[in-house]
Amino acid sequence: TGVPRCGASLHEPYKALKIELNANASCVWQIQRNSSQTIRLIFSYFKFAPSSSCDTESIRVYDGPSTNSPLLGQVCNNTDAIPILQSSSDSLTFTITTNSEAFTRNFFVFYYYFSPGTNIDNCGGQLTGPNGTFTSPNYPAPYPEFAYCIWQIEAPKNSKINLQFTDFFLELDKNCQFDFTAVYDGLTTNNGLIGKVCGRGQPAFESSSNALTVVLSTDYGNSYRGFSAQYTSVPLPRPEQPNTHLTCSSDTMNITLSRSYLASLGYNETQLRLIDPSCKPVITDSVTFSFPLTSCGTIKKDDGHSITYTNVISLFATGNVITRQKSLHIVAKCIMENNSTLELIYITKNNIIRNTTAVGRYNVSMSFYYSDSFSDPVLQSPYYVDLNETVFVQVSLHSIDPNLLVFVDTCVASPRADFGSPTYDLIRSGCNKDDTLVTYPPIEHYGRFKFNTFRFLRHFPSVYLRCDILICDSNNTNSRCTKGCVSRQKRDISSYLWKTKTVVGPIRLKRGLRAADHSESLTKAAAEETPNLQQYNFYTLSFVVLISNIIIVVAVILKYHKRPQGYGYQKIQSS
């Protein structure tokens, strides 16, 4: 007390400061002394404006003689600890700034110079095992002044710690500003403050895990006998499985909760609320919220790498003043990125977070159209066209989110359905590679272009198309979908939200259709003429066989009836 109300230059070896500030304050305190010792600075009590944040109202501590020295730490309205900071030299500076809110801020600051490694720090330690005991320095005699002791307790895994002070007597103060014991949930003193106690009593604490930290800090007067404490570890119960399921599509989010899980927490389905409480679940054996991505208060966020739809199921405790029910928030996220829809759901329950993931896809299709009105799609396949005829292609995204943009990044043609060699680039990285290709400006959920048909040399006249499709947030004016043609060297793969491939085809030339029809006619004619040819061959064969038989018969007759030359009859003379 007695120091200037806003800021001061301090040179005493130790001092307690009670500071009271109003709105729009900006004060600087400098602690400096020609000494080989260091400074310990303790903010044992602070009360900022209730609505303040670290950006508008805070204490900033610098390790040196000015605000140009390295920042040692910051204290804000949401600081969950008793800040105790230590300089590296004999000087230290801290500032307090307040916002414009009409509110009286109160702070209690205590500092002292000390030499590290001296008796005042020769206390505390690490305690392991399922149970144990420890006491303040000199117990049951009065504890020393300027004491700063830290006990870190670590019990076996899958257990929690019950801490009981069997005897406790520290200097009594309403806000425990002078001598105090602070208990933290975990092995750090930066956050997780469970409680701060002083005076007389038998306080008890419980950790949420197998680690607990106890701090004793004392000032320069009014020492008492301190404390004696014991701790025991208790096995943690097997956690109830949330049995929560999330699915996402291009249009909807579905969250399913187990009613038995809600009952294990002391809740029922009537206590569930989405961000928009007017959206109600369907209740059967389970509780199901099913709603469009753009409704029920769903929050959409574009982080440059993906697009995220987030909603929160909150469980509201009953009662007007107090509750003994655990708070529970179920945060469900549908994350659209790269080649899939990543579904993320996590549950926060008294700082406990559970995560589950699943995979889905955007619904994208590609079709041919007869004209640039894109109102009459081509339904037959193959799609027969004339050589050099203009064809129209549309890529469609089927989603109810109106703020998505479709962009055709790359399109490759091939005469083969498996897109083996050869291939021909129509579009590459948003750049038109074919002289006849024209792209239309992106509009809502559609990407459109046209080109004149062609055929591959020495290949059957069919053409398949495969396109890489990008989907962006239309509210992002600097997204990949708005940049058009970008060279590969300058391409930023993180500037779009989602990418997929889609295939359409084949296109087939009408000349190929006529050739196919002619071939079919020839085949049919040949099939019809086959019976006649077989009948003609049968008659011809029969005639040849008949003539052969006649010739054979004539030859035999001639052989036996024709006389040989020089042979005759001789008359027999009578005697």
Side-chain angles (χ1 to χ4, degrees), residues 15 29 117 122 164 194 242 330 450:
K15 197 173 190 66
W29 284 265
N122 190 20
Q164 177 69 59
I194 300 176
I330 302 172
K450 66 179 180 178

Side-chain angles (χ1 to χ4, degrees), residues 1 21 35 157 274 289 488 491 507 561 566:
T1 60
L21 296 176
S35 170
K157 291 182 178 181
L274 285 173
F289 286 93
R488 178 166 290 275
R491 192 175 183 186
I507 306 170
H561 289 85

Side-chain angles (χ1 to χ4, degrees), residues 298-426:
T298 303
I299 300 169
K300 177 183 174 184
K301 181 181 179 182
D302 174 9
D303 63 4
H305 300 275
S306 61
I307 187 167
T308 304
Y309 300 92
T310 304
N311 211 311
V312 181
I313 298 178
S314 300
L315 286 88
F316 291 90
T318 56
N320 297 323
V321 181
I322 68 168
T323 181
R324 290 185 171 87
Q325 293 174 294
K326 295 180 178 180
S327 61
L328 180 68
H329 295 280
I330 302 172
V331 182
K333 293 187 177 184
C334 295
I335 305 174
M336 310 294 193
E337 60 179 10
N338 292 335
N339 203 23
S340 66
T341 300
L342 174 66
E343 300 155 355
L344 170 65
I345 181 168
Y346 60 87
I347 302 172
T348 63
K349 181 181 67 176
N350 293 351
N351 297 325
I352 299 175
I353 300 177
R354 297 188 59 87
N355 298 276
T356 60
T357 59
V359 176
R361 298 181 68 87
Y362 265 129
N363 187 2
V364 177
S365 62
M366 183 164 64
S367 302
F368 293 115
Y369 283 78
Y370 286 109
S371 70
D372 58 4
S373 67
F374 294 98
S375 59
D376 189 11
V378 177
L379 301 179
Q380 71 266 25
S381 180
Y383 174 28
Y384 284 98
V385 296
D386 286 321
L387 191 64
N388 206 31
E389 180 182 340
T390 301
V391 296
F392 304 88
V393 183
Q394 175 174 284
V395 178
S396 304
L397 168 65
H398 308 281
S399 174
I400 63 171
D401 187 345
N403 298 317
L404 295 177
L405 206 58
V406 174
F407 179 70
V408 182
D409 179 75
T410 297
C411 244
V412 177
S414 174
R416 299 171 53 180
D418 60 359
F419 288 85
S421 179
T423 61
Y424 176 70
D425 284 354
L426 290 171

Side-chain angles (χ1 to χ4, degrees), residues 99-113:
N99 61 23
S100 59
E101 184 178 352
F103 184 81
T104 301
R105 289 86 168 164
N106 291 286
F107 310 91
F108 191 85
V109 187
F110 172 57
Y111 80 88
Y112 57 87
Y113 280 84

Side-chain angles (χ1 to χ4, degrees), residues 490-503:
K490 297 180 180 180
R491 192 175 183 186
D492 180 11
I493 61 173
S494 65
S495 59
Y496 60 83
L497 305 176
W498 192 84
K499 179 180 180 180
T500 188
K501 294 182 184 293
T502 185
V503 177

Side-chain angles (χ1 to χ4, degrees), residues 519-555:
S519 175
E520 182 180 355
S521 298
L522 291 177
T523 303
K524 182 177 180 181
E528 292 175 351
E529 291 175 0
T530 297
N532 296 331
L533 180 59
Q534 292 175 346
Q535 185 177 10
Y536 171 77
N537 290 339
F538 175 76
Y539 291 148
T540 301
L541 179 61
S542 300
F543 179 75
V544 171
V545 171
L546 177 62
I547 296 300
S548 300
N549 290 335
I550 292 172
I551 293 172
I552 293 171
V553 170
V554 171

Side-chain angles (χ1 to χ4, degrees), residues 142-457:
Y143 47 79
E145 61 183 15
F146 304 130
Y148 180 60
C149 312
I150 301 177
W151 290 269
Q152 290 181 320
I153 307 171
E154 192 166 6
K157 291 182 178 181
N158 299 319
S159 66
K160 62 180 180 179
I161 299 172
N162 290 329
L163 176 66
Q164 177 69 59
F165 289 92
T166 55
D167 185 23
F168 191 90
F169 191 3
L170 270 64
E171 182 177 1
L172 178 61
D173 173 71
K174 177 182 178 181
N175 295 317
C176 296
Q177 300 172 134
F178 308 118
D179 301 340
F180 62 86
T181 294
V183 180
Y184 294 88
D185 192 6
L187 294 176
T188 177
T189 59
N190 296 326
N191 52 53
L193 180 67
I194 300 176
K196 180 179 70 168
V197 290
C198 60
R200 299 191 66 174
Q202 291 183 321
F205 300 92
E206 180 181 274
S207 69
S208 64
S209 67
N210 66 324
L212 196 72
T213 300
V214 180
V215 175
L216 172 65
S217 176
T218 68
D219 64 1
Y220 53 85
N222 299 327
S223 293
Y224 298 90
R225 67 173 178 266
F227 63 77
S228 174
Q230 65 179 20
Y231 75 90
T232 57
S233 60
V234 180
L236 285 172
R238 179 181 291 272
E240 175 77 19
Q241 295 301 316
N243 194 17
T244 302
H245 184 63
L246 168 69
T247 57
C248 301
S249 69
S250 295
D251 300 330
T252 60
M253 182 185 298
N254 293 277
I255 311 170
T256 303
L257 296 163
S258 166
R259 294 178 68 182
S260 61
Y261 173 62
L262 297 176
S264 70
L265 300 175
Y267 289 97
N268 61 60
E269 57 274 10
T270 62
Q271 296 170 274
L272 297 175
R273 299 287 187 277
L274 285 173
I275 294 178
D276 181 355
S278 64
C279 295
K280 303 297 183 182
V282 175
I283 301 172
T284 56
D285 293 338
S286 58
V287 181
T288 302
F289 286 93
S290 182
F291 51 92
L293 288 176
T294 55
S295 67
C296 296
T298 303
I299 300 169
K300 177 183 174 184
K301 181 181 179 182
D302 174 9
D303 63 4
H305 300 275
S306 61
I307 187 167
T308 304
Y309 300 92
T310 304
N311 211 311
V312 181
I313 298 178
S314 300
L315 286 88
F316 291 90
T318 56
N320 297 323
V321 181
I322 68 168
T323 181
R324 290 185 171 87
Q325 293 174 294
K326 295 180 178 180
S327 61
L328 180 68
H329 295 280
I330 302 172
V331 182
K333 293 187 177 184
C334 295
I335 305 174
M336 310 294 193
E337 60 179 10
N338 292 335
N339 203 23
S340 66
T341 300
L342 174 66
E343 300 155 355
L344 170 65
I345 181 168
Y346 60 87
I347 302 172
T348 63
K349 181 181 67 176
N350 293 351
N351 297 325
I352 299 175
I353 300 177
R354 297 188 59 87
N355 298 276
T356 60
T357 59
V359 176
R361 298 181 68 87
Y362 265 129
N363 187 2
V364 177
S365 62
M366 183 164 64
S367 302
F368 293 115
Y369 283 78
Y370 286 109
S371 70
D372 58 4
S373 67
F374 294 98
S375 59
D376 189 11
V378 177
L379 301 179
Q380 71 266 25
S381 180
Y383 174 28
Y384 284 98
V385 296
D386 286 321
L387 191 64
N388 206 31
E389 180 182 340
T390 301
V391 296
F392 304 88
V393 183
Q394 175 174 284
V395 178
S396 304
L397 168 65
H398 308 281
S399 174
I400 63 171
D401 187 345
N403 298 317
L404 295 177
L405 206 58
V406 174
F407 179 70
V408 182
D409 179 75
T410 297
C411 244
V412 177
S414 174
R416 299 171 53 180
D418 60 359
F419 288 85
S421 179
T423 61
Y424 176 70
D425 284 354
L426 290 171
I427 306 172
R428 176 66 62 180
S429 300
C431 304
N432 296 351
K433 297 300 183 180
D434 182 84
D435 293 337
T436 68
L437 191 137
V438 176
T439 56
Y440 295 84
I443 176 173
E444 295 180 346
H445 291 171
Y446 305 106
R448 296 166 171 171
F449 62 93
K450 66 179 180 178
F451 66 96
N452 289 0
T453 56
F454 56 89
R455 70 179 180 88
F456 285 89
L457 297 174

